[in-house]
Amino acid sequence: MEIMICHTSMQPIYEQIVEQIKTQVLHGTLKGGEALPSVRSLAGELKISALTVKKAYDCLEQEGMIVTVHGKGSFIAEGNLALLEETWKKEVENALSMAVEKGRDYGMTDEELRELFEIIMEEP
Amino acid sequence: MEIMICHTSMQPIYEQIVEQIKTQVLHGTLKGGEALPSVRSLAGELKISALTVKKAYDCLEQEGMIVTVHGKGSFIAEGNLALLEETWKKEVENALSMAVEKGRDYGMTDEELRELFEIIMEEP
Amino acid sequence: MEIMICHTSMQPIYEQIVEQIKTQVLHGTLKGGEALPSVRSLAGELKISALTVKKAYDCLEQEGMIVTVHGKGSFIAEGNLALLEETWKKEVENALSMAVEKGRDYGMTDEELRELFEIIMEEP
Amino acid sequence: MEIMICHTSMQPIYEQIVEQIKTQVLHGTLKGGEALPSVRSLAGELKISALTVKKAYDCLEQEGMIVTVHGKGSFIAEGNLALLEETWKKEVENALSMAVEKGRDYGMTDEELRELFEIIMEEP
DNA sequence: GTGGTCTAGACCACT
DNA sequence: GTGGTCTAGACCACC
């Protein structure tokens, strides 16, 4: 499994791990039933504390994304893909919504906001 | 001056104050040269520590938004409106950009993103 | 008497007044026995608090630069010119000394310091 | 790390800390990437409040001198040495410039100023 | 009255 | 363990 973490990011490391695993499940890189690396091996690989990895796995388990079996390891949960899509979509919607609100707060007209949006869509 | 703070927000109180004052300057509610409430009086009004208000004022001064004169008080700086607008616009652009990136990361097509954007624009 | 004050300077207003009066005595613009404007008239002229002017006059009196006669006003003290020169010279020496120390702290060689000094001497 | 503070100085304690850390970086005593003592440990060592140390670290971070990582500590930033040297040099120049101006204000001739400068250079 | 600094605690999140 | 934030006091200098 490929995880990239950034120590200088404002985002906590454990959240970076959570997001990347979620993204990989969404993309199908990780599939239901598949085993995740052990807490200690991933911690060793990323050169971070095992507690940090543990916290990430705990978050994922709490959300029902993974299942941890004592003494065997952690595995991607089966069949939650629809749910995951839903929450992810909600997140995108929220992010977009807050950006629009910020723009309106600043005084931008709908015209200007749409223009800016199109520029961003066509750019990268 | 009207400031509303939320003690349960994840955003630090001092940042909430900073943002709201910036917004009011941008909206023209606060104009150049105008006096801000004293650290102590605003703290009393909001029922928070004076140090928290001071930290907010320190941030604003550091950004050149306000000028503080020892023994007299703090005042909105003159003529930085254009600069403020620029930085604010950049913030909106960034927020929008990150939302779009998040959507693409999730696998949304440009079509779907545009659709979602339009729904948000017409909603509130 | 001509006094110019700067409200945005880091230097307290009362000190600005003290320094300018000292300078004028040194330059001979103000002579021994000459009357200073009353606290309230100078305060009115400069549009500052009378307490601030009072504090400046108090400092000057404490240093023996002026003499205040109750009910009559404040006057430049006689014959202190030599003393004033001495203290002023000391101040210049201190300022120069601290600048040199700062330069050495930074790691400048005597060579470099002398060079910089000459550039400054020939500049303005 | 060696920090000496003076409680009776007019200079705020947090500024004393800022200056001394800057000086040590400039001298190479502290190198890029090196860890600073934790806020609490330095506070304990110097017998001052942790908030005072934190304010010093905040100033340094704001200037880009150090990088603070949540939950890990503060570290000397890499590669800003050239920038630091430049600003430091400017400070020396300013200090020297103001000393010269003060001397001229007092009426010293260039001759006298040069003489005084040489005495100071050869003294300590 | 004002801001500038400092203290000695506290709670939280991150590692 | 670490830093980030906040509190409720205090003293000082300046206006």
Side-chain angles (χ1 to χ4, degrees):
Chain A
M1 199 178 59
E2 298 265 329
I3 300 279
M4 297 276 298
I5 60 172
C6 171
H7 287 276
T8 60
S9 160
M10 304 254 291
Q11 197 178 27
I13 293 175
Y14 80 94
E15 271 190 15
Q16 296 180 35
I17 297 172
V18 167
E19 275 208 1
Q20 289 184 44
I21 291 182
K22 277 187 184 178
T23 305
Q24 292 189 25
V25 172
L26 209 52
H27 287 179
T29 315
L30 288 171
K31 282 167 193 160
E34 197 166 332
L36 268 62
S38 79
V39 167
R40 289 166 68 181
S41 71
L42 184 55
E45 208 177 300
L46 301 178
K47 290 175 186 162
I48 59 178
S49 162
L51 284 176
T52 305
V53 178
K54 178 74 168 45
K55 180 156 187 180
Y57 281 19
D58 283 350
C59 284
L60 289 164
E61 182 150 32
Q62 196 184 346
E63 295 185 55
M65 286 296 308
I66 69 174
V67 177
T68 298
V69 182
H70 197 95
K72 295 197 72 176
S74 301
F75 306 85
I76 305 294
E78 310 257 6
N80 272 355
L81 219 143
L83 181 69
L84 177 57
E85 270 187 9
E86 206 48 48
T87 59
W88 199 269
K89 210 166 184 172
K90 209 121 224 162
E91 268 185 50
V92 176
E93 196 177 321
N94 277 345
L96 217 47
S97 215
M98 279 175 57
V100 167
E101 192 192 348
K102 200 163 197 163
R104 285 189 171 142
D105 211 36
Y106 150 71
M108 289 176 79
T109 64
D110 286 14
E111 192 83 10
E112 288 173 316
L113 273 168
R114 284 198 175 86
E115 206 173 314
L116 184 58
F117 179 74
E118 277 309 318
I119 291 169
I120 288 164
M121 286 297 288
E122 278 155 28
E123 226 171 28
Chain B
M1 204 180 54
E2 300 265 328
I3 299 279
M4 297 276 300
I5 60 172
C6 171
H7 287 276
T8 60
S9 162
M10 304 249 294
Q11 197 179 27
I13 294 176
Y14 78 92
E15 274 191 13
Q16 296 180 35
I17 297 173
V18 167
E19 278 208 359
Q20 289 184 45
I21 290 181
K22 275 189 187 176
T23 305
Q24 291 190 25
V25 172
L26 209 52
H27 285 182
T29 314
L30 288 172
K31 282 169 192 161
E34 198 166 330
L36 269 62
S38 82
V39 168
R40 284 166 170 79
S41 70
L42 184 55
E45 210 178 297
L46 302 177
K47 289 174 185 162
I48 59 176
S49 161
L51 266 190
T52 305
V53 177
K54 175 151 195 315
K55 183 159 185 180
Y57 281 18
D58 280 350
C59 286
L60 288 164
E61 179 151 35
Q62 176 191 342
E63 295 186 52
M65 289 294 310
I66 69 175
V67 176
T68 296
V69 183
H70 197 117
K72 296 201 75 176
S74 299
F75 306 84
I76 305 293
E78 311 254 8
N80 275 1
L81 220 142
L83 182 71
L84 177 58
E85 270 187 10
E86 206 48 48
T87 59
W88 199 269
K89 218 165 180 171
K90 209 122 222 163
E91 269 184 48
V92 175
E93 196 177 321
N94 279 344
L96 216 47
S97 215
M98 280 174 59
V100 166
E101 192 190 348
K102 199 164 200 163
R104 283 186 172 145
D105 210 38
Y106 148 73
M108 290 175 77
T109 64
D110 285 15
E111 195 78 12
E112 288 173 314
L113 273 168
R114 284 197 175 88
E115 207 173 313
L116 184 57
F117 179 74
E118 277 308 319
I119 291 169
I120 287 163
M121 287 295 290
E122 277 152 29
E123 227 171 24
Chain C
M1 198 178 58
E2 299 264 328
I3 300 278
M4 297 275 298
I5 61 173
C6 172
H7 286 277
T8 60
S9 160
M10 303 253 291
Q11 197 178 26
I13 293 175
Y14 80 94
E15 271 190 15
Q16 296 180 35
I17 297 172
V18 167
E19 275 211 0
Q20 289 184 44
I21 291 182
K22 278 187 183 175
T23 306
Q24 291 188 25
V25 172
L26 208 51
H27 287 181
T29 315
L30 287 172
K31 281 167 193 159
E34 199 166 329
L36 267 63
S38 79
V39 167
R40 289 165 70 181
S41 71
L42 183 55
E45 207 179 300
L46 301 177
K47 289 176 185 160
I48 59 177
S49 161
L51 283 177
T52 306
V53 178
K54 179 73 169 44
K55 180 155 188 180
Y57 281 18
D58 283 351
C59 285
L60 288 163
E61 181 151 31
Q62 196 183 345
E63 296 186 54
M65 286 297 308
I66 69 175
V67 176
T68 298
V69 182
H70 198 92
K72 295 197 74 174
S74 300
F75 305 85
I76 304 295
E78 311 257 8
N80 273 356
L81 221 144
L83 179 69
L84 177 57
E85 269 187 11
E86 205 47 49
T87 61
W88 199 269
K89 209 164 185 173
K90 210 128 224 154
E91 268 184 50
V92 175
E93 195 177 322
N94 276 345
L96 217 47
S97 213
M98 281 174 57
V100 167
E101 190 192 351
K102 202 164 197 161
R104 284 188 171 144
D105 210 36
Y106 149 72
M108 288 175 80
T109 63
D110 285 15
E111 191 84 8
E112 287 173 315
L113 273 168
R114 284 198 176 87
E115 207 174 314
L116 185 58
F117 179 73
E118 277 309 317
I119 292 168
I120 287 163
M121 287 296 289
E122 277 154 26
E123 228 173 25
Chain D
M1 204 179 55
E2 299 265 329
I3 299 279
M4 297 276 299
I5 61 172
C6 171
H7 287 276
T8 59
S9 160
M10 304 249 294
Q11 198 180 25
I13 294 176
Y14 78 93
E15 274 190 13
Q16 296 180 34
I17 297 173
V18 166
E19 277 208 359
Q20 289 184 45
I21 291 182
K22 277 189 185 175
T23 305
Q24 292 190 24
V25 172
L26 209 50
H27 286 180
T29 314
L30 288 172
K31 280 169 193 161
E34 197 166 332
L36 270 63
S38 82
V39 168
R40 284 165 171 81
S41 69
L42 184 54
E45 210 178 297
L46 301 178
K47 289 178 186 159
I48 58 176
S49 162
L51 266 189
T52 304
V53 177
K54 178 156 191 312
K55 184 159 187 182
Y57 282 18
D58 280 350
C59 284
L60 287 163
E61 178 151 36
Q62 177 189 341
E63 295 185 54
M65 287 295 308
I66 70 175
V67 176
T68 297
V69 183
H70 195 116
K72 296 201 74 176
S74 299
F75 306 84
I76 304 294
E78 311 254 8
N80 274 2
L81 219 144
L83 183 70
L84 177 57
E85 270 187 10
E86 206 47 49
T87 58
W88 198 270
K89 217 165 180 170
K90 208 124 222 162
E91 269 183 50
V92 174
E93 195 177 322
N94 279 344
L96 216 47
S97 216
M98 280 173 59
V100 167
E101 193 190 346
K102 200 163 199 162
R104 284 187 171 143
D105 211 38
Y106 147 74
M108 287 174 80
T109 63
D110 285 15
E111 194 76 12
E112 288 172 314
L113 273 168
R114 282 198 176 88
E115 205 173 316
L116 185 57
F117 178 73
E118 278 308 318
I119 292 168
I120 288 163
M121 286 295 289
E122 278 153 28
E123 226 170 26

